[in-house]
Amino acid sequence: MCELLGMSANVPTDIVFSFTGLMQRGGRTGPHRDGWGIGFYEGRGLRLFQDPRASSESEVAQLVQRYPIKSEVVIGHIRQANVGRVCLANTHPFVREMWGRNWCFAHNGQLADFAPQLDNYRPIGDTDSEAAFCDLLNRLRQALPEPVAVEQLLPTLVSACAGYRQHGVFNCLLSDGDWLFSFCSSKLAHITRRAPFGPAHLKDSDMQVDFQAETTPNDVVSVLATEPLTDNESWTLYQPGEWRLWRGGECVAQGITD
Amino acid sequence: MCELLGMSANVPTDIVFSFTGLMQRGGRTGPHRDGWGIGFYEGRGLRLFQDPRASSESEVAQLVQRYPIKSEVVIGHIRQANVGRVCLANTHPFVREMWGRNWCFAHNGQLADFAPQLDNYRPIGDTDSEAAFCDLLNRLRQALPEPVAVEQLLPTLVSACAGYRQHGVFNCLLSDGDWLFSFCSSKLAHITRRAPFGPAHLKDSDMQVDFQAETTPNDVVSVLATEPLTDNESWTLYQPGEWRLWRGGECVAQGITD
């Protein structure tokens, strides 16, 4: 299994604190030694850092922890391989261009008996996760030949995710840089931080941050993770089958599938 | 204008030496202050580092210079913006998945009156370079619905490049991770290093490397650059209209268009 990290904010925000917590689980406080990756949107551009090595030992991960990249949407992942060998091509998040935007995807879980038809988007590596991502984009493209608002994508998106869930565990994060879509089949948590901001303390590292000193009163920042990253705040757990759409730090749509 | 850097090798080889030379031209010995990027293939995976900041001041560039990533195919680029503002989405190299492989592209030059039709692949940023890359992939896909050997791609590839050249300056590097295709409309140089290896000295930095100490007798490494990177070796200059296909460090096909 793997762990997911997502962020949606209404101002460019650095995710160094949460990323530091997640990285500890990559070989130190957790067993996810088989690579890690994180994508930061900068406008329509996407800055992607990945390494098939354990995050707790990766020089690139150290750079990301030192380097306060500010972004409004972030998707991160640490991997404990089950399907697909340990290599760069199998390292999340996965990226494809659709409709002139970077689509970024990360998956936690495992799908059995899953062999979608090859179409426009094809997997480069051999994970079930990338196969699901390609299938998802192929379905969206078949359903909607030209770009539409995300609200019009939601029925196809949610129904595809509900379908993948029939094959096993399917927790995922997906974004086109504007919005962040999240689907929970078994485990996902979120927290929204807004004024008055307080201190937060990482579960996985003796690190504390006072968000009051780092933010303005109008900032809204939501963080999503497989398991809560801090031990002194109140995270909300998703229900199995629950999806949420985030934009500018706020949950703008949500629902539960059977 | 911009500068290109390419490498094709028959063993995983680090490009720290050539990259260090190129990076100096990004704001120190050259005027290319508007970003830089480099893609390293690792099997079918592609490790991409990019920054819209000047390479001579970029922390990510410093990491890449310290970090001996070994690869058989590399495409790098430093940018002096002419079309498209300075931002991550306009930073080369550009990447798309086609036929289950990562295709990576960088361009030096400028195209006038160039507005290809939007099709399957669409630009994310607003450079003429990314528009040409998307058009090139759309043409390949239209001509060849399923993957073929690169030799069968060459006629479509070369004819598309010859067409872009009619719109201005079009020097480019393109790879799917297996081969490296290069097209010169005005300026490109290459050198193939093989045993007996000797010392090389960078033009743009007081740095010397003895390749003898870094290689085995069977290594073959070709480096391509807009202008020769070393001042004590003999580089070959491309002719205008010349293209070359590299694989495993060797030039495996070449030709000249009108």
Side-chain angles (χ1 to χ4, degrees):
Chain A
M1 298 291 280
C2 310
E3 296 214 21
L4 296 171
L5 173 66
M7 188 192 77
S8 166
N10 66 346
V11 287
T13 302
D14 89 55
I15 198 169
V16 168
F17 177 72
S18 301
F19 182 70
T20 300
L22 186 76
M23 290 297 98
Q24 305 305 314
R25 298 184 186 170
R28 221 176 60 93
T29 61
H32 313 88
R33 297 193 58 82
D34 301 325
W36 62 276
I38 189 162
F40 302 86
Y41 283 95
E42 255 182 59
R44 295 167 78 98
L46 180 70
R47 195 183 284 284
L48 189 66
F49 295 98
Q50 289 177 311
D51 209 328
R53 265 163 291 197
S55 54
S56 60
E57 294 162 10
S58 159
E59 193 176 345
V60 187
Q62 286 165 28
L63 173 93
V64 178
Q65 280 171 69
R66 275 201 318 272
Y67 193 60
I69 298 164
K70 294 201 169 195
S71 178
E72 288 167 43
V73 183
V74 174
I75 291 183
H77 183 271
I78 50 176
R79 178 164 186 239
Q80 188 181 8
N82 40 51
V83 178
R85 66 204 164 85
V86 177
C87 66
L88 188 60
N90 287 343
T91 304
H92 305 227
F94 301 103
V95 180
R96 294 290 186 280
E97 173 260 314
M98 185 162 77
W99 299 329
R101 298 194 73 109
N102 276 307
W103 290 62
C104 182
F105 171 88
H107 167 223
N108 152 256
Q110 193 168 355
L111 305 178
D113 305 317
F114 181 68
Q117 222 188 327
L118 286 183
D119 193 0
N120 190 66
Y121 295 97
R122 299 187 180 186
I124 294 168
D126 44 23
T127 62
D128 48 354
S129 307
E130 193 190 13
F133 176 40
C134 291
D135 184 65
L136 186 58
L137 295 181
N138 287 328
R139 286 187 194 211
L140 288 173
R141 233 183 153 120
Q142 280 158 17
L144 304 152
E146 287 297 320
V148 294
V150 61
E151 290 72 16
Q152 288 173 264
L153 293 179
L154 281 173
T156 310
L157 210 49
V158 169
S159 124
C161 290
Y164 304 139
R165 194 186 161 201
Q166 304 302 317
H167 291 270
V169 175
F170 188 79
N171 304 297
C172 83
L173 300 176
L174 174 74
S175 178
D176 80 340
D178 178 33
W179 43 261
L180 175 67
F181 175 80
S182 51
F183 184 88
C184 171
S185 92
S186 63
K187 208 193 252 189
L188 199 57
H190 65 92
I191 188 167
T192 299
R193 299 185 181 117
R194 63 177 90 233
F197 290 94
H201 181 264
L202 283 183
K203 255 179 159 170
D204 299 83
S205 180
D206 190 17
M207 181 173 168
Q208 176 148 333
V209 70
D210 181 6
F211 286 116
Q212 177 74 47
E214 313 264 334
T215 50
T216 73
N218 298 324
D219 294 8
V220 180
V221 181
S222 291
V223 175
L224 285 64
T226 298
E227 296 199 49
L229 290 165
T230 58
D231 53 18
N232 66 332
E233 296 178 298
S234 175
W235 291 65
T236 306
L237 304 185
Y238 281 66
Q239 300 300 310
E242 187 176 351
W243 61 269
R244 285 174 180 255
L245 181 72
W246 302 85
R247 185 188 260 148
E250 305 281 2
C251 178
V252 293
Q254 66 187 102
I256 293 199
T257 62
D258 293 332
Chain B
M1 298 293 278
C2 309
E3 298 213 21
L4 297 171
L5 174 66
M7 188 192 77
S8 166
N10 67 346
V11 287
T13 301
D14 90 57
I15 198 169
V16 168
F17 177 72
S18 301
F19 183 70
T20 300
L22 186 76
M23 290 297 98
Q24 305 306 314
R25 298 184 186 171
R28 220 175 62 92
T29 61
H32 313 88
R33 298 193 58 82
D34 301 326
W36 63 276
I38 189 162
F40 302 85
Y41 283 95
E42 254 182 60
R44 294 167 79 97
L46 179 70
R47 195 183 285 282
L48 187 67
F49 294 98
Q50 288 177 312
D51 209 327
R53 264 162 292 198
S55 54
S56 59
E57 294 162 9
S58 160
E59 192 175 347
V60 187
Q62 286 166 28
L63 172 92
V64 178
Q65 281 171 68
R66 274 201 318 272
Y67 193 59
I69 298 164
K70 295 201 169 196
S71 178
E72 287 166 45
V73 182
V74 174
I75 291 183
H77 183 272
I78 51 176
R79 179 166 185 237
Q80 187 182 7
N82 40 49
V83 179
R85 66 203 165 84
V86 177
C87 66
L88 188 60
N90 286 343
T91 304
H92 304 229
F94 302 103
V95 180
R96 293 291 186 278
E97 173 261 313
M98 185 163 78
W99 298 328
R101 298 194 73 107
N102 277 306
W103 290 61
C104 181
F105 172 87
H107 167 223
N108 152 254
Q110 193 168 354
L111 305 177
D113 304 318
F114 182 68
Q117 223 188 327
L118 286 182
D119 194 1
N120 191 66
Y121 295 97
R122 300 187 179 187
I124 294 169
D126 42 23
T127 62
D128 49 355
S129 308
E130 193 191 11
F133 176 41
C134 291
D135 184 66
L136 186 59
L137 294 182
N138 287 329
R139 286 186 194 211
L140 289 173
R141 232 184 155 123
Q142 279 156 17
L144 303 151
E146 286 297 321
V148 294
V150 60
E151 289 71 16
Q152 288 173 263
L153 293 178
L154 280 173
T156 310
L157 210 48
V158 169
S159 127
C161 290
Y164 303 140
R165 195 187 160 200
Q166 305 302 316
H167 291 269
V169 175
F170 188 79
N171 304 297
C172 83
L173 300 176
L174 174 75
S175 178
D176 80 338
D178 177 33
W179 43 262
L180 175 66
F181 174 81
S182 51
F183 184 89
C184 171
S185 92
S186 63
K187 208 192 250 188
L188 199 57
H190 65 92
I191 188 167
T192 299
R193 299 185 180 116
R194 63 176 92 232
F197 290 94
H201 181 264
L202 283 183
K203 255 179 160 171
D204 298 83
S205 180
D206 189 19
M207 182 173 167
Q208 176 148 335
V209 70
D210 180 9
F211 286 117
Q212 177 73 48
E214 313 265 333
T215 49
T216 72
N218 297 324
D219 294 7
V220 180
V221 181
S222 291
V223 175
L224 285 64
T226 298
E227 297 198 50
L229 290 164
T230 57
D231 54 17
N232 67 330
E233 297 178 297
S234 175
W235 290 66
T236 306
L237 304 186
Y238 281 66
Q239 300 300 309
E242 186 176 351
W243 61 267
R244 284 174 181 258
L245 181 73
W246 302 85
R247 187 187 259 149
E250 305 281 3
C251 178
V252 293
Q254 66 186 103
I256 293 200
T257 62
D258 293 331

